[in-house]
Amino acid sequence: MSTNEPNTNASPPGTRGADAMQTLAGRLSACMQCGTCTGSCANSESMDITPRHLWRLVQLGLKDCIFDSATFWICSSCYYCTLRCPRGLPLTDAMGELKRIAVAEGLFRDRTSPLFYRTFLDTVRRYGRVREMEVMARYFLALRSPAVSAGFTPLGIKLLMKGKIKPRIPGMSGRGKLGPIYDKVREMEARS
Amino acid sequence: MKYFYYSGCSLEGTAAEYDTSTRAVLRELGAELMEIEDWSCCGASAAESASYLLSMVLPARNIALASRTGIEADFVVPCSACYLNLRRVGDHVHRDEALAQRINEVLSEEGLTYQKGLKTRHLLDVLANDFSCEDLDERSRRKLSGFKVAPYYGCQCLRPYRDFDDPQQPASMDPLIEALGAQVHPWSAGARCCGAGLMTTKKNVALRLVGDILSAARGADCIVTVCPMCQMNLESFQSKISRERGEKLDISILYLPQLLGLAFGIRDRELNLHMNLALTEPFLHKLRTITGC
């Protein structure tokens, strides 16, 4: 049905450690800097460097420049770049790969996104499913930013009044509902 | 027709009205939904930032739970992010055979096995392709004539997988809307991004995107959505965006099955319109003139 399914001639995603950047550079080696990604990006105006620029940095292995930038955190995964890339490169997945490397190696300046994802995943580990109110409450607590929390307070109150979110007693930690799966993933990734 | 119904976490909480209206509409259309016992989160957009393997295992777990029943049926998924995550597993496994083994090594912790085969489909795909316009017309007890509806698709039900619609100029909702007697609002914002999770982590970026969408919808009576994240982003910050832009941008936002349900005459106990955050007085007035209550 499609003409530009993601290019798969390089190593699979999820490679760990120092190889991760090289693997990613390999997957993007066919990028010819045409800028279709930037032109298609919903958020490029809010980015410090454009997607096209970012891919060049990845090809050149300029890790400091890459992780000084917040560009990949501003990707909202709309997949327009992936859809339109004339080389069929998996660009949205590459943004995800950069998020993963940044989290694994602590290479981020703004902790909002990493903190949110961590809180989210920990709730899933505990209960198997997301409890929206608990995720947000724990995120705001960990963020320690009254201004950000205040921006969401009116919405929180509306959602409570509509009965869409319900305060529930947080479960005590322990291994959690999906603990065995999370542990196994970690163990296997440490091996590879 | 039988489907495995994967509601996803939002439909248990902030999108409860999407869950109840989807179930009611599919029931009216004669579809049977099978619950997936003990289903879990698909990983949303969070899992990929932690681990590629985890981002595959979380959705695969649900597919494994469904295949364990031995029943062959498609998945129907109302949330676009859940749909994409479940859909991705099959695609990635297809391209990387070692991945299936790795997924199954993890799932063996729970005695589960992931197998290829079950098809993941978005709710919109099912509504647009498994039923005919005559089916919809037959079940419509009232026509929504006079309503101008802006169909909003968002991203992840269209891209990167082009399963059922044009990924840039989607049109699969048009015949549904027209079958109800309503009119389609002509616009080009239906496949633009609402900012998704950025509304939580980079709010100003997402507010700009939502503002553009709301602005493009001017002249319509409502926007319909097919994703809980899109719905939440479009409905939650309308007064803030209107204030900042100095334009009146408030508009009613409904889930597509709620609109279908209104035409089908499904009771509000199941449509739960009172749970929507953005329903304008002119819209409700128009609705009352049609429903007579």
Side-chain angles (χ1 to χ4, degrees):
Chain A
M1 176 159 198
S2 55
T3 52
N4 59 343
E5 282 295 310
N7 186 327
T8 56
N9 57 8
S11 312
T15 310
R16 310 277 293 177
D19 291 343
M21 289 304 296
Q22 267 180 4
T23 306
L24 187 61
R27 298 183 84 207
L28 302 184
S29 63
C31 170
M32 56 181 174
Q33 293 287 290
C34 71
T36 303
C37 48
T38 301
S40 305
C41 180
N43 300 321
S44 59
E45 281 176 46
S46 307
M47 292 169 170
D48 47 50
I49 57 172
T50 64
R52 179 200 57 77
H53 189 162
L54 180 66
W55 308 137
R56 189 68 186 135
L57 297 176
V58 170
Q59 287 177 328
L60 295 172
L62 297 173
K63 208 169 166 183
D64 291 349
C65 302
I66 294 166
F67 293 102
D68 267 349
S69 162
T71 285
F72 55 90
W73 291 115
I74 294 179
C75 167
S76 48
S77 301
C78 77
Y79 287 89
Y80 261 118
C81 57
T82 301
L83 180 79
R84 291 178 176 168
C85 176
R87 296 286 203 197
L89 300 175
L91 300 177
T92 313
D93 286 355
M95 292 285 188
E97 186 72 18
L98 290 174
K99 289 177 193 169
R100 185 156 55 239
I101 296 168
V103 168
E105 302 183 23
L107 299 171
F108 48 85
R109 285 187 183 167
D110 178 3
R111 62 199 185 97
T112 51
S113 302
L115 198 61
F116 180 71
Y117 292 144
R118 199 173 64 205
T119 311
F120 187 98
L121 284 176
D122 192 52
T123 315
V124 172
R125 180 187 59 80
R126 286 188 195 200
Y127 309 115
R129 298 180 194 173
V130 178
R131 292 185 179 181
E132 290 161 312
M133 187 165 180
E134 188 168 327
V135 171
M136 292 309 277
R138 288 175 58 201
Y139 169 63
F140 289 139
L141 273 175
L143 201 57
R144 292 197 207 98
S145 164
V148 172
S149 313
F152 284 92
T153 307
L155 176 59
I157 293 170
K158 253 191 262 174
L159 293 174
L160 270 172
M161 307 253 294
K162 295 265 184 189
K164 294 182 140 202
I165 51 175
K166 295 176 190 74
R168 288 202 269 183
I169 299 166
M172 293 302 113
S173 45
R175 234 179 145 198
K177 159 88 183 151
L178 295 181
I181 279 184
Y182 275 50
D183 292 347
K184 185 72 182 172
V185 166
R186 192 174 303 163
E187 179 208 310
M188 285 172 62
E189 287 184 330
R191 251 193 271 152
S192 59
Chain B
M1 236 168 294
K2 264 183 157 186
Y3 303 92
F4 286 111
Y5 181 61
Y6 181 82
S7 72
C9 305
S10 297
L11 277 74
E12 289 195 319
T14 51
E17 69 275 33
Y18 193 20
D19 181 58
T20 55
S21 58
T22 297
R23 289 173 187 272
V25 161
L26 288 175
R27 185 194 62 223
E28 287 291 310
L29 289 168
E32 188 192 328
L33 299 183
M34 294 175 287
E35 306 292 328
I36 301 157
E37 212 174 309
D38 195 39
W39 64 269
S40 51
C41 172
C42 71
S45 52
E48 74 162 2
S49 73
S51 148
Y52 174 71
L53 184 56
L54 187 65
S55 78
M56 289 287 129
V57 164
L58 287 175
R61 180 180 182 277
N62 298 298
I63 299 169
L65 285 170
S67 26
R68 191 167 62 174
T69 63
I71 302 170
E72 277 192 33
D74 293 350
F75 267 67
V76 55
V77 188
C79 167
S80 297
C82 298
Y83 155 76
L84 175 59
N85 281 339
L86 291 164
R87 174 74 174 75
R88 253 174 122 221
V89 179
D91 178 40
H92 284 220
V93 164
H94 180 69
R95 293 194 271 121
D96 174 10
E97 282 187 8
L99 178 62
Q101 286 169 23
R102 286 169 64 77
I103 290 172
N104 279 329
E105 193 179 337
V106 179
L107 289 180
S108 67
E109 291 288 310
E110 289 198 60
L112 290 169
T113 312
Y114 168 79
Q115 295 164 323
K116 283 187 263 185
L118 297 185
K119 200 169 166 192
T120 301
R121 298 174 65 200
H122 192 276
L123 172 67
L124 176 56
D125 177 5
V126 167
L127 286 173
N129 293 309
D130 292 9
F131 309 101
S132 65
C133 289
E134 291 77 60
D135 288 331
L136 298 181
D137 188 52
E138 227 170 74
R139 277 162 186 89
S140 297
R141 280 192 217 154
R142 55 174 86 99
K143 288 290 170 193
L144 302 180
S145 40
F147 277 92
K148 211 174 204 187
V149 179
Y152 182 73
Y153 299 80
C155 300
Q156 299 187 343
C157 70
L158 301 172
R159 298 180 298 273
Y161 300 113
R162 290 170 263 188
D163 285 345
F164 63 92
D165 209 337
D166 185 290
Q168 305 189 68
Q169 282 157 339
S172 54
M173 276 197 251
D174 290 3
L176 303 180
I177 292 167
E178 283 159 1
L180 308 179
Q183 215 184 327
V184 177
H185 172 69
W187 70 337
S188 57
R192 283 208 218 145
C193 183
C194 73
L198 293 183
M199 194 58 92
T200 307
T201 55
K202 307 265 182 260
K203 199 171 176 182
N204 288 332
V205 179
L207 286 175
R208 192 175 66 86
L209 298 177
V210 172
D212 292 346
I213 295 163
L214 296 178
S215 192
R218 283 212 298 199
D221 293 296
C222 64
I223 300 176
V224 288
T225 68
V226 287
C227 169
M229 178 78 88
C230 300
Q231 172 82 16
M232 177 77 108
N233 281 358
L234 293 183
E235 68 184 354
S236 298
F237 300 98
Q238 292 187 0
S239 49
K240 182 181 166 68
I241 294 169
S242 297
R243 229 174 19 246
E244 281 172 6
R245 296 204 171 197
E247 296 180 76
K248 205 166 151 2
L249 291 174
D250 57 328
I251 182 167
S252 300
I253 318 282
L254 278 77
Y255 288 106
L256 177 67
Q258 288 184 307
L259 189 80
L260 295 170
L262 283 172
F264 291 2
I266 293 172
R267 291 163 307 174
D268 190 57
R269 217 174 63 201
E270 292 182 296
L271 295 189
N272 285 315
L273 273 179
H274 64 274
M275 292 180 95
N276 293 43
L277 299 180
L279 286 181
T280 65
E281 199 37 58
F283 176 85
L284 292 170
H285 178 75
K286 216 170 193 176
L287 198 59
R288 281 192 292 268
T289 59
I290 284 178
T291 59
C293 54

